Amino acid sequence: MSAHPPDFSAAARLPYGTRRVSRARAAIAEAASEMRGAFTAERLHERVAREHPGIGLATVYRAVAAMTEAGYLARVGARDGAALYAVCASEEHHHHAVCESCGAVAPVACTLVRAALPPGFAVTHHELAIYGMCADCARRSGEVGA
Amino acid sequence: MSAHPPDFSAAARLPYGTRRVSRARAAIAEAASEMRGAFTAERLHERVAREHPGIGLATVYRAVAAMTEAGYLARVGARDGAALYAVCASEEHHHHAVCESCGAVAPVACTLVRAALPPGFAVTHHELAIYGMCADCARRSGEVGA
DNA sequence: GCTCCAAGTGAGAGTCATTCTCAGTTACGC
DNA sequence: GCGTAACTGAGAATGACTCTCACTTGGAGC
């Protein structure tokens, strides 16, 4: 129909590696970067659909899978059977601490100690999910309680 | 119908805490103790149903939930969207290393280091799933490969 | 031994997150 | 502009797990 050169933010290409830059993926990547803390695929879809109605849930799942594979997003746990994702702060291997009160996500250095493993066990991958309450929320709940 | 005093193994009572000892739960606890390594609820059901046809999947799920709550079983990860369980070796807090080749499960001491967490973050709970290959399987695959 | 009753059970429908399918659309290299 | 493969939307399919409800049964009290 038109020959407009697509002008989606160049940054939008990054989360997906070398794949094509589509309008839907650019919108999903932008929405993900604007989410505060951990989110489910469905909440991300809600947010995307607010500004771009018509983008399907399947497309969001596909984009999340692509971004996770590219290391831009990480699975940081699960809530009520739904996977929780968050934008990764660094590309180095790390884990995440999720505040159950406000949903904030903080990076946590990996503390997997090889000596704790059974002798000869070769780790291929591991997952650590940490849940709790961040300092801000703890202070706030302390003020209310006091 | 009869007044036979139920003679289910006394040990079968333990995995469920103080609850009643029923034929189905005794069978499920026994089957769980005979499983090698990690297993899904469905595989446990298959095994139970082999010797006790008629025991429903819902009953197995309920028994697994009760045993997990009682600390006799632990969720050691997930495979293809299904939860993996294993019999807990000790009652102390620990994690599990799962061999992806043979399914064997080995206890791993918790190495969560408080210093690695963001300052002020209060951990309520955490989950660590470690996947890899146990020494036996590594040796075996090495022999084949060599 | 008998009775009572709450815990436990079986069957299967329901729920929900996630994946799959497929025809149509579109970004992008040429 | 064209060709094509990657991507998309819609919704059906899948699969793990939970819920409901009428029925059964273990175990305590008498």
Side-chain angles (χ1 to χ4, degrees), chain A residues 19-20 22 24-25 54-55 59 62:
Chain A
R19 301 176 199 221
R20 240 170 53 182
S22 75
R25 290 200 167 191
I55 289 185
T59 301
R62 280 185 288 234

Side-chain angles (χ1 to χ4, degrees), chain A residues 6-104:
Chain A
D7 192 25
F8 314 135
S9 148
R13 181 195 299 270
L14 287 169
Y16 303 104
T18 59
R19 301 176 199 221
R20 240 170 53 182
V21 181
S22 75
R23 202 175 298 271
R25 290 200 167 191
I28 294 167
E30 192 184 342
S33 72
E34 287 170 359
M35 296 294 278
R36 290 187 181 185
F39 53 87
T40 62
E42 198 168 353
R43 277 186 61 84
L44 179 59
H45 175 240
E46 269 174 28
R47 172 143 197 165
V48 171
R50 213 182 300 152
E51 291 191 19
H52 300 80
I55 289 185
L57 186 55
T59 301
V60 171
Y61 271 106
R62 280 185 288 234
V64 164
M67 287 191 283
T68 302
E69 198 180 344
Y72 178 71
L73 290 187
R75 213 193 131 118
V76 298
R79 184 166 51 204
D80 300 334
L84 282 176
Y85 298 90
V87 175
C88 262
S90 84
E91 288 182 22
E92 276 176 32
H93 171 68
H94 62 283
H95 299 286
H96 299 87
V98 182
C99 175
E100 288 181 311
S101 179
C102 68

Side-chain angles (χ1 to χ4, degrees), chain B residues 52-63:
Chain B
H52 301 80
I55 290 185
L57 186 55
T59 300
V60 171
Y61 271 106
R62 279 184 288 235

Side-chain angles (χ1 to χ4, degrees), chain B residues 8 18-19 21-22 27 29 34-35 40 46 50 53 60 72 79 84 87 92 97 99 119 123 127 132 135 143 145-146:
Chain B
F8 313 137
T18 60
R19 301 174 197 219
V21 181
S22 74
E34 287 171 358
M35 297 293 279
T40 63
E46 269 175 29
R50 212 182 302 151
V60 171
Y72 177 69
R79 185 167 49 203
L84 282 176
V87 175
E92 277 177 31
C99 176
V123 176
E127 292 163 17
E143 279 168 11

